[in-house]
């Protein structure tokens, strides 16, 4: 027998039995309960306790600090996998065989180049344009170049456009970066893997071949794996929401990039660096903490809607910080970050609210050590998250339960009133 929730509304005498499935009730079933002549609804700003879909991609246990892609723990993937293998896993549900992986890597390598005319679009941006705005506009523009993306019900067209986008994101990001530096663009190099090629497109100077330190390539690979997906976060929900009106992948991912840009989401890593710079030295940390407790500022890189424990990605990144600093030298802001973390893990304000470091707390320090300016940090997040967005887009498109996103509201405005001609207004 199905598990049931019994609801009784004493003043109207309404009673209803709602089926509980997967630990949830269907919000539409609440309509059986009629209050003041109206079917009952829920009020949930920010979807704090509302599941918007069924998904088989990523599992998070926020209390235990667990993150898994398709059942595989993030720690094992970060240790043993590559970003492209993880992207395949997110999209297909299984780890690829050696043959599948080789073909997937070949396909991605084949599609790395940007359409030539898109470079004219990129050239039109001001030299100091934020690279996230370039990324947002260019991903949307891709649809003009690949209109077959509208055939999203055709699995072949869908897969081709997903591969195109995953392949082109690093190229686009590198173009945006070099534009800001007024440096000539570097085309992709087929001899390099995904992460090495990205570093080459960013940092190649006059040398014939750019060769990155293997440990730095691995650090980028790990960061990309950690950022590849995170179930129904703000940007993924934006992707699904835009997909729900029947849009192509590029339009949806452009919306995802926009959502990610905000400082409460992917923009937090940039905000962490700004915060660390403003604090400057360890002796100024107590004063900053007082400001946080008084509600004047937020401690960026701390707190999470889902994790009420140490974010497992932050733990892995913290270890990677040490590896990267061995090669690049220690950033003095690391001490400030460590001191902030000490307060965060012991001070009653943070402990009682279960605020722990999130993925963004240390990632900015690595990005800076690798030579990226802060405005590139969120771009570095967007590249791997494209794999997650694409996996959710695909899951949404093929979900028989999918529906156009159209939340209800509680109307708080005026009751009906009559139009007042302008000459009669106060
Ligand atoms: N610094 C100080 N106080 C905080 C912080 C913080 N970073 N985060 C939450 N709080 C406090 C709130 O003021 C609130 O306190 P109150 O109960 O006294 O009012 C309580 O903790 C709960 O906070 P909410 O804002 O309700 O939590 P919510 O789940 O809505 O927000 C969020 C989560 C947006 C991530 C928040 O913790 C935050 O702003 N953190 C800083 C930004 C950040 O690092 N974002 C990256 C998240 S990870 C990612 O997107 C990849």
């Amino acid at each position: 027998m199905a598990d049931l929730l019994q609801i009784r509304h004493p003043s109207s005498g309404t009673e209803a039995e709602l089926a509980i499935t997967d630990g949830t009730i269907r919000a539409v079933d609440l309509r059986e309960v009629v209050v003041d002549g109206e079917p009952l609804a829920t009020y949930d700003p920010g979807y704090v306790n509302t599941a918007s879909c069924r998904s088989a991609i990523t599992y998070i246990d926020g209390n235990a600090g667990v993150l898994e892609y398709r059942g595989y723990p993030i720690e094992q993937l970060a240790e043993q996998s590559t970003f492209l293998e993880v992207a395949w896993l997110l999209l297909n549900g299984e780890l690829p065989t050696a043959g599948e992986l080789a073909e997937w890597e070949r396909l991605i390598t084949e599609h790395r180049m940007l359409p030539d005319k898109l470079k004219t679009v990129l050239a039109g941006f001001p030299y100091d344009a934020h690279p996230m705005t370039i990324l947002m506009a260019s991903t949307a523009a891709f649809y003009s170049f690949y209109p077959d993306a509208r055939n999203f019900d055709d699995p072949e067209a869908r897969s081709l456009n997903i591969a195109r986008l995953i392949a082109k994101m690093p190229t686009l990001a590198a173009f945006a970066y070099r534009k800001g530096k007024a440096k000539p663009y570097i085309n992709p190099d087929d001899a390099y893997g995904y992460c090495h090629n990205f570093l080459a497109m960013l940092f190649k100077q006059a040398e014939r071949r750019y060769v990155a330190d293997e440990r730095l390539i691995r650090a980028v690979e790990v960061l990309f794996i950690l950022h590849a997906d995170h179930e129904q976060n703000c940007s993924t929900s934006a992707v699904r929401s835009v997909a729900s009106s029947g849009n192509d992948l590029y339009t949806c991912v452009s919306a995802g990039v926009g959502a990610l840009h905000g400082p409460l989401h992917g923009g937090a890593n940039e905000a962490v660096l700004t915060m660390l710079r403003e604090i400057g030295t360890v002796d100024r940390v107590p004063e900053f903490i007082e400001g946080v407790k008084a509600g004047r500022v937020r401690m960026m890189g701390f707190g999470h809607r889902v994790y009420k424990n140490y974010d497992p990605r932050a733990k892995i990144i913290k270890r990677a910080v040490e590896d990267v600093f061995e090669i690049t030298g220690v950033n003095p802001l690391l001490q400030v970050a460590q001191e902030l973390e000490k307060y965060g893990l012991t001070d009653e304000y943070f402990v009682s609210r279960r605020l722990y470091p999130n993925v963004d707390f240390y990632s900015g320090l690595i990005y800076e050590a690798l030579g990226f300016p802060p405005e590139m940090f969120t771009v570095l997040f967007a590249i791997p998250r494209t794999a997650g967005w694409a996996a959710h887009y695909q899951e949404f498109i093929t979900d028989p339960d999918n529906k156009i996103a159209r939340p209800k509201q509680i109307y708080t405005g005026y009751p009906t009133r009559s139009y007042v001609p302008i000459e009669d207004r106060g």
Side-chain angles (χ1 to χ4, degrees):
M1 208 180 85
D3 200 5
L4 293 175
L5 174 72
Q6 290 187 323
I7 297 193
R8 197 167 70 82
H9 183 239
S11 49
S12 64
T14 313
E15 291 194 5
E17 283 190 338
L18 311 187
I20 299 177
T21 318
D22 299 322
T24 60
I25 54 164
R26 296 235 155 196
V28 283
D29 289 353
L30 278 176
R31 290 180 180 163
E32 283 179 38
V33 182
V34 178
V35 175
D36 297 334
E38 291 291 332
L40 193 63
T42 56
Y43 176 58
D44 188 7
Y47 308 113
V48 175
N49 195 33
T50 298
S52 63
C53 62
R54 298 166 66 82
S55 180
I57 301 171
T58 288
Y59 172 76
I60 299 175
D61 180 341
N63 285 322
V66 169
L67 169 62
E68 294 170 358
Y69 296 159
R70 301 283 190 184
Y72 293 102
I74 192 67
E75 293 80 3
Q76 292 179 21
L77 294 170
E79 183 77 30
Q80 299 175 57
S81 192
T82 63
F83 169 68
L84 282 185
E85 187 180 45
V86 164
W88 170 280
L89 172 70
L90 291 169
L91 288 161
N92 298 290
E94 297 296 338
L95 287 167
T97 62
E100 285 168 338
L101 183 59
E103 175 52 22
W104 174 234
E105 288 172 345
R106 190 204 57 74
L107 188 67
I108 295 295
T109 304
E110 183 187 317
H111 287 288
R112 282 172 179 169
M113 289 287 281
L114 296 183
D116 247 8
K117 283 201 175 129
L118 186 67
K119 293 178 193 165
T120 337
V121 177
L122 289 171
F125 278 91
Y127 77 94
D128 56 352
H130 196 291
M132 281 298 272
T133 62
I134 296 183
L135 204 63
M136 210 184 323
S138 314
T139 42
F142 275 146
Y143 176 50
S144 320
F145 295 94
Y146 308 112
D148 61 331
R150 268 289 153 105
N151 304 335
F152 45 75
D153 286 329
D154 170 5
E156 220 171 283
R158 201 169 55 227
S159 296
L160 173 62
N161 283 294
I162 288 174
R164 272 185 185 137
L165 189 57
I166 291 175
K168 291 182 200 312
M169 281 305 254
T171 319
L172 208 48
F175 271 49
Y177 169 76
R178 290 184 79 102
K179 180 179 174 54
K181 301 250 169 221
K183 287 185 176 169
Y185 305 138
I186 302 289
N187 280 323
D189 185 335
D190 286 1
Y192 291 146
Y194 196 80
C195 296
H196 194 168
N197 173 58
F198 179 47
L199 290 172
M201 289 189 297
L202 289 163
F203 300 129
K204 189 172 183 303
Q205 304 280 7
E207 68 272 39
R208 273 173 68 84
R209 284 196 82 74
Y210 170 90
V211 181
D213 187 308
E214 282 299 328
R215 293 167 297 177
L216 293 186
I217 299 172
R218 184 65 206 165
V220 172
E221 196 96 60
V222 169
L223 286 164
F224 278 9
I225 292 169
L226 298 181
H227 287 88
D229 193 43
H230 212 232
E231 52 119 306
Q232 309 311 317
N233 55 84
C234 176
S235 55
T236 302
S237 304
V239 167
R240 281 181 177 261
S241 202
V242 175
S244 77
S245 66
N247 267 305
D248 63 283
L249 175 72
Y250 302 114
T251 303
C252 297
V253 165
S254 175
V257 174
L260 189 71
H261 193 185
L264 298 188
H265 189 14
N269 49 20
E270 186 178 341
V272 169
L273 243 275
T274 309
M275 172 187 79
L276 294 177
R277 286 219 181 87
E278 276 168 13
I279 299 171
T281 48
V282 170
D283 58 307
R284 297 189 55 202
V285 166
E287 183 192 334
F288 176 79
I289 294 289
E290 283 316 307
V292 173
K293 288 159 73 168
R296 287 194 293 277
V297 276
R298 283 213 157 186
M299 179 131 109
M300 301 313 284
F302 252 71
H304 200 277
R305 171 61 61 76
V306 179
Y307 293 118
K308 301 302 169 195
N309 199 326
Y310 215 105
D311 181 337
R313 300 168 300 173
K315 269 192 199 153
I316 299 168
I317 289 189
K318 200 176 165 186
R319 278 199 300 277
V321 168
E322 284 150 23
D323 294 347
V324 169
F325 283 178
E326 255 180 45
I327 307 162
T328 62
V330 175
N331 182 334
L333 293 179
L334 177 63
Q335 279 182 326
V336 178
Q338 286 169 332
E339 188 68 8
L340 283 174
E341 184 185 343
K342 231 186 269 169
Y343 275 90
L345 297 179
T346 52
D347 191 288
E348 194 276 334
Y349 176 91
F350 300 93
V351 174
S352 63
R353 289 169 178 77
R354 305 185 69 190
L355 301 171
Y356 288 86
N358 61 47
V359 67
D360 289 319
F361 192 65
Y362 284 107
S363 62
L365 285 170
I366 299 197
Y367 295 147
E368 192 177 60
L370 292 174
F372 293 107
E375 61 275 14
M376 273 299 287
F377 294 178
T378 318
V379 174
L380 294 162
F381 190 153
I383 296 169
R385 184 53 61 88
T386 299
W389 289 330
H392 283 273
Y393 177 81
Q394 181 173 258
E395 188 173 67
F396 180 87
I397 295 294
T398 52
D399 182 351
D401 278 353
N402 81 22
K403 268 197 170 328
I404 186 166
R406 182 32 175 114
K408 284 178 82 72
Q409 65 166 9
I410 299 170
Y411 178 65
T412 60
Y414 286 106
T416 312
R417 51 188 180 153
S418 295
Y419 180 79
V420 181
I422 196 155
E423 58 277 13
D424 297 342
R425 290 177 212 159

